[in-house]
Amino acid sequence: KKNEEETSSLHPPMGVNLSEETKEVRAAIIEGIATQDTMVEFYPVGGAADRLQLKDENTQKGLPAAHLVFLGKHLLQGVVNDLQAREYLAFKLFNKQVITPIAMMTSAVNRNHELIEESCKENNWFDRPKAKFKFFTQPRVPAFTKEGAWCLEAPLKLLLKPGGHGVIWNLALKAGIFDWFYSLGKTKALVRQINNPMAAIDYGLLAFLGIGHQKNKSFGFASCPRLIDAHEGMNVLKTSVDGDVSLTNIEYCDFGKFGIEDKPQVPGGKYSHFPSNTNILFADLKKVAKAAEKNPFPGLLVNFREASHYDSDGEMKLEKIARVESTMQNIADSFKIEMSDEDLTEKLPAYLTFNERRKTISTTKQAPSPHGPMLETVEGCYYDFMQNAKELLEKHCHIQLPPVPNEKEFLEEGPSFLFSYHPALGPLYSIVGQKLQGGSFCDGSEMQLEIADIQIENLELKGSLLIHADQIMG
């Protein structure tokens, strides 16, 4: 119950701006591609995804978020495609044949582990060796009421939910995941959540990873402006009363504990004073493993949300309940330094990058509401994707497009054109612009490019053009 506001001070963090493709940013992009052979990927996919309300059409049982279809593919397939695009770039530019190992943290909720493993098998392990995948399962913890009573799923059966993704580091240690990575000669990791399909758009992710390698950092956050009232944490520079400084995260449910008011940076603005924690993370494997031994449950918090449960009298109740949760990004609390007059940005073991919001985060966390905001819905994410597609096609490919609707028109009438592509076509917009050159799309036209290499010049598109390669990257 200690008030953190009295024991620490918070300041907006400094970081590297990726929104402009400067000489330094281009160097970081190349570094991100060249070091792909040192990388591993962590996917925490064990969340309950209650707000999405995903159900199996036949059984009506709940499904994990990984099964949500976006742009015609399950979210998990989309994340692996993003990885394959970076590997393909490493092959094309440096002649490196890289197959990055993937570790997924699943859970027992909604048959999460079973369904995700089934999905991998049905997709032939996404045309990758099965040996390059490892799974480990996060524990569930009991839920409780504000009065401190346990919640029940059925008489004499505790209501159990995932205890947050903060256990990922210690659990991976115990499951031998780190040892597996070391045996393959890997040193760095990318962590990303599958409910954010925008994380790998254009060059932002590659530049973010490249900076972590260039500066040999222990940990990193890919950040962007944070919308007021978004269910997102904040990245902050935290100074304790002892003079220790760390670049870390504060979750939205803990703002009051730290004396933070979710107000705009400028009066009437839509962005908050602190940038968003997007859960796109860079980690040095050995340094994070060492931190996890000392801090196995980083970022402990309690977040009350409305849900149904049985009480001890066997009555069904709808009220706010919670469980103890832990956050994976708060392992950054372990990487502290003493306050000094030196440049903190360079001295800190952790780092942060800034990029445009729609090229960094747009999540698929909840089902749409007819009168609710688009933020964190699948429709909102697709709108951001089409805004990005407009920039790509007009600015880099010099293709004339029909007028793109605003949010209200988009919800009522839909998009004015459809466009999707396998990320191996780029993923950098500058590369896609070398492959699609000139032309125009008529209103209502559609283009799908499930192919990595193609040359299209001055195409006038009226109707649908769907190109699907069987083996996209050869």
Side-chain angles (χ1 to χ4, degrees), residues 149-294:
W150 298 119
C151 302
L152 303 177
E153 182 182 342
L156 298 179
K157 187 177 180 182
L158 284 170
L159 176 63
L160 301 174
K161 290 183 174 289
H165 41 51
V167 294
I168 191 169
W169 310 113
N170 192 258
L171 214 55
L173 265 177
K174 292 180 177 178
I177 304 295
F178 279 88
D179 289 335
W180 176 52
F181 290 152
Y182 300 150
S183 72
L184 297 172
K186 307 302 179 181
T187 57
K188 312 289 184 185
L190 166 67
V191 186
R192 67 174 285 199
Q193 291 186 286
I194 59 171
N195 66 5
N196 176 16
M198 296 303 108
I201 289 283
D202 202 3
Y203 63 78
L205 183 57
L206 280 166
F208 166 66
L209 297 175
I211 289 165
H213 285 283
Q214 284 176 332
K215 298 180 182 294
N216 194 29
K217 293 291 189 177
S218 303
F219 203 74
F221 296 90
S223 189
C224 65
R226 182 186 171 279
L227 288 167
I228 296 296
D229 296 329
H231 287 178
E232 297 165 9
M234 293 175 171
N235 288 134
V236 302
L237 195 65
K238 181 178 169 185
T239 307
S240 72
V241 288
D242 300 325
D244 290 334
V245 182
S246 61
L247 175 63
T248 188
N249 162 75
I250 294 175
E251 280 300 295
Y252 62 92
C253 51
D254 265 353
F255 288 172
K257 177 179 171 183
F258 285 87
I260 298 172
E261 293 185 61
D262 199 359
K263 289 183 176 180
Q265 186 175 12
V266 295
K270 61 180 182 178
Y271 295 121
S272 64
H273 193 55
F274 292 93
S276 172
N277 169 62
T278 65
N279 277 338
I280 305 167
L281 309 172
F282 172 90
D284 180 289
L285 289 173
K286 290 196 172 177
K287 291 172 183 173
V288 165
K290 188 176 179 181
E293 288 176 348
K294 295 180 179 177

Side-chain angles (χ1 to χ4, degrees), residues 76-141:
L76 181 56
Q77 170 81 69
V79 171
V80 176
N81 284 357
D82 288 337
L83 168 58
Q84 290 173 332
R86 294 193 297 281
E87 293 170 338
Y88 190 57
L89 267 183
F91 171 68
K92 297 286 276 189
L93 293 181
F94 298 102
N95 200 30
K96 292 180 179 180
Q97 185 74 57
V98 181
I99 303 176
T100 308
I102 297 170
M104 292 191 228
M105 184 174 72
T106 60
S107 77
V109 176
N110 293 340
R111 296 173 59 229
N112 175 286
H113 177 87
E114 181 184 338
L115 289 171
I116 285 173
E117 199 165 8
E118 266 179 29
S119 180
C120 291
K121 290 174 184 175
E122 288 169 4
N123 285 282
N124 192 32
W125 300 93
F126 309 106
D127 297 318
R128 304 168 75 80
K130 180 183 175 183
K132 292 290 186 178
F133 291 84
K134 294 274 188 192
F135 299 90
F136 56 110
T137 306
Q138 73 182 101
R140 293 186 295 167
V141 296

Side-chain angles (χ1 to χ4, degrees), residues 434-445:
Q434 297 170 32
K435 300 175 182 180
L436 311 183
Q437 299 178 337
S440 63
F441 287 10
C442 288
D443 190 60
S445 294

Side-chain angles (χ1 to χ4, degrees), residues 349-419:
Y351 73 103
L352 182 138
T353 61
F354 297 101
N355 202 359
E356 291 180 66
R357 183 175 171 86
R358 64 176 163 83
K359 286 187 174 183
T360 311
I361 186 171
S362 188
T363 55
T364 55
K365 287 183 179 178
Q366 56 190 11
S369 166
H371 306 293
M374 289 174 68
L375 183 66
E376 299 176 339
T377 65
V378 180
E379 285 77 3
C381 186
Y382 185 61
Y383 183 75
D384 286 337
F385 176 82
M386 292 305 294
Q387 292 291 314
N388 288 328
K390 177 180 184 294
E391 177 191 330
L392 167 61
L393 295 171
E394 287 186 337
K395 183 177 176 182
H396 296 268
C397 303
H398 308 292
I399 294 173
Q400 292 183 334
L401 300 175
V404 175
N406 59 33
E407 285 191 17
K408 185 173 183 296
E409 295 166 340
F410 180 84
L411 281 175
E412 293 173 355
E413 302 167 17
S416 55
F417 68 94
L418 300 175
F419 176 69

